[in-house]
Amino acid sequence: MDCNDIRLSVIVPVYNTSAYLRRCLDSVLDSFGMLKENAEVLLINDGSTDNSGDIIAEYCEKYPQYFKRFDKPNGGLSDVKNYGLKRACGEFIIFLDSDDYIERDMYLDMLDTAKREQADVVVCDIKLVYDDPSRNVVWPCAVKIRKGNFAQVIDMSMMPASWNKIVKRKLYEGLSFPVGKNNEDVAVTPIVLGRANRISVIDRPYYNYYQRSGSIQNSSFNESRFVILETAKLCMERMKELDPKKQEQIKGSVYLHQVIALPFYPIRMEPFQKRYDLLVKYMNQVEELFPDLWDNFEIRELMTWGSPFVQIYRRISALLLRRRHYLLTSIFWSFVNVVFDLLGHYRKR
């Protein structure tokens, strides 16, 4: 297959996910069976120590028209993504985590939408999938109250995700994922979205985001998650190439959904002493890196959302944090957590 004839490249980082890999690759095969255009899958084995490499070899042997195998020393998710971007041929790029899987119509619908609407980026909804199906929930890819597709997509809490978006490969030029950092997409996806001339939205949960225990997002909280501040800062530096309006929208989204979300939910839920210690360390870094945080329009708007009690909680929390009263904040959150548990309806923004 000539590289110039490939419409879509799917980059699949693989590291010790043999228990889920067949489900992932079978879902891609089902989706590729619907396509009218050529597509490729880059299976990048990042130094797996289980039998993931054997599974990759099996699928590449059975379906050489689709799957390409790459083996490299372990370098982490960002390193794999950068490796894949350098080797992908497709007009459009999308990533796929090897423990997740997709719906059959996903790539067909996205490519058809891109062609029909002349879009540089197409985004779809996400389904969070648990072992207990009753816990499954759909996360929309756009906030419909915003005006325009860019604002709608950028203001979504899972906006940085690189696996529910097909993106024209040229939009990644000059960008790389920060190696050795989690939350790597925060440093890249907002810039890619800002570069797009047109973004299209598909209101269907085509991407199944498997919530497995032991994953980065579902592991216990520790200071390693403060890395979000580094990737957020890198995003702020990179977005200077964009027009001022887009810069302000990106900043608002990153401040709200990434920077301030960490203390307002996971840190708040920690035991008192750990909560206080984490809050002091985290907010000291926030104040140094993002001195305009509390003046941002998204943060101010946050205080107006939700029930009266939720609004009061947010306003008091913001006031205490802005004045650096971290002990009082931690005490206040102990009370808030009890009330939320009693109400039983509010656990996360």
Side-chain angles (χ1 to χ4, degrees):
M1 191 187 305
D2 191 289
C3 195
N4 294 324
D5 294 333
I6 297 176
R7 177 77 160 153
L8 177 68
S9 293
V10 183
I11 299 173
V12 184
V14 181
Y15 179 71
N16 290 351
T17 51
S18 59
Y20 316 98
L21 188 53
R22 292 182 187 278
R23 179 180 66 180
C24 172
L25 301 185
D26 286 343
S27 74
V28 174
L29 282 172
D30 284 345
S31 187
F32 274 22
M34 303 286 289
L35 295 183
K36 312 161 192 172
E37 300 161 293
N38 293 327
E40 65 174 1
V41 186
L42 283 68
L43 298 177
I44 305 173
N45 183 13
D46 191 37
S48 295
T49 56
D50 64 359
N51 67 328
S52 294
D54 295 334
I55 297 173
I56 290 172
E58 174 189 331
Y59 277 78
C60 288
E61 183 178 350
K62 285 184 178 179
Y63 310 101
Q65 71 273 33
Y66 296 139
F67 294 110
K68 298 179 180 179
R69 175 179 179 171
F70 300 88
D71 293 283
K72 60 180 291 298
N74 181 259
L77 192 54
S78 291
D79 190 49
V80 175
K81 289 182 174 181
N82 294 334
Y83 185 96
L85 284 174
K86 291 177 182 177
R87 291 159 176 80
C89 291
E91 179 186 0
F92 286 89
I93 300 285
I94 194 168
F95 294 89
L96 171 59
D97 283 0
S98 56
D99 53 351
D100 297 335
Y101 58 102
I102 62 171
E103 296 299 320
R104 189 182 187 196
D105 292 335
M106 179 172 175
Y107 296 150
L108 173 66
D109 199 359
M110 290 184 125
L111 290 173
D112 283 352
T113 299
K115 185 174 183 179
R116 183 176 63 253
E117 301 184 8
Q118 296 296 297
D120 297 322
V121 177
V122 181
V123 187
C124 72
D125 292 346
I126 301 161
K127 181 187 287 186
L128 275 65
V129 178
Y130 295 84
D131 291 326
D132 177 3
S134 67
R135 297 181 61 195
N136 292 356
V137 62
V138 173
W139 284 61
C141 63
V143 179
K144 296 302 185 181
I145 61 172
R146 298 299 185 198
K147 185 176 181 181
N149 281 4
F150 175 76
Q152 289 180 6
V153 171
I154 209 73
D155 194 30
M156 190 263 188
S157 59
M158 296 183 76
M159 168 272 295
S162 57
W163 26 249
N164 72 323
K165 303 169 180 69
I166 65 166
V167 176
K168 278 197 173 177
R169 179 158 53 98
K170 65 180 182 181
L171 297 184
Y172 281 107
E173 290 179 3
L175 292 175
S176 63
F177 293 89
V179 176
K181 308 293 183 185
N182 294 331
N183 302 109
E184 71 285 344
D185 289 338
V186 174
V188 176
T189 302
I191 312 307
V192 166
L193 293 172
R195 289 176 172 181
N197 291 320
R198 183 176 179 84
I199 299 172
S200 294
V201 173
I202 298 176
D203 298 315
R204 298 187 187 93
Y206 282 145
Y207 192 89
N208 294 294
Y209 182 24
Y210 181 52
Q211 304 297 292
R212 64 186 175 102
S213 60
S215 67
I216 293 172
Q217 294 302 322
N218 290 299
S219 56
S220 60
F221 190 92
N222 59 66
E223 288 183 42
S224 66
R225 291 179 65 178
F226 289 8
V227 72
I228 187 63
L229 299 179
E230 298 178 45
T231 51
K233 187 65 176 178
L234 183 54
C235 174
M236 302 297 176
E237 294 169 357
R238 289 176 168 181
M239 73 179 184
K240 293 175 182 177
E241 70 176 58
L242 306 173
D243 69 68
K245 184 177 179 181
K246 284 186 175 181
Q247 288 187 44
E248 191 63 20
Q249 289 171 313
I250 290 171
K251 180 187 287 188
S253 175
V254 171
Y255 277 178
L256 176 61
H257 298 299
Q258 310 302 325
V259 175
I260 205 63
L262 211 62
F264 268 61
Y265 179 66
I267 292 179
R268 174 174 64 84
M269 300 305 296
E270 292 298 319
F272 180 83
Q273 187 60 52
K274 183 178 181 182
R275 178 196 312 150
Y276 172 66
D277 292 342
L278 288 168
L279 194 59
V280 171
K281 293 177 182 178
Y282 184 76
M283 291 307 301
N284 282 341
Q285 294 182 46
V286 169
E287 295 290 347
E288 180 180 351
L289 291 171
F290 309 112
D292 64 339
L293 174 80
W294 299 111
D295 297 321
N296 182 264
F297 76 98
E298 286 268 23
I299 302 298
R300 294 197 305 268
E301 189 178 63
L302 175 66
M303 312 308 155
T304 67
W305 298 342
S307 67
F309 181 78
V310 169
Q311 291 182 35
I312 292 170
Y313 144 66
R314 288 171 172 164
R315 288 171 182 169
I316 294 176
S317 298
L319 178 65
L320 293 174
L321 289 173
R322 185 168 191 168
R323 295 185 178 182
R324 304 187 182 186
H325 297 321
Y326 303 135
L327 180 58
L328 286 176
T329 304
S330 194
I331 294 170
F332 174 61
W333 281 354
S334 292
F335 164 76
V336 167
N337 289 343
V338 171
V339 174
F340 283 151
D341 283 342
L342 290 173
L343 293 175
H345 77 283
Y346 182 86
R347 300 292 294 179
K348 188 176 181 181
R349 181 187 176 277

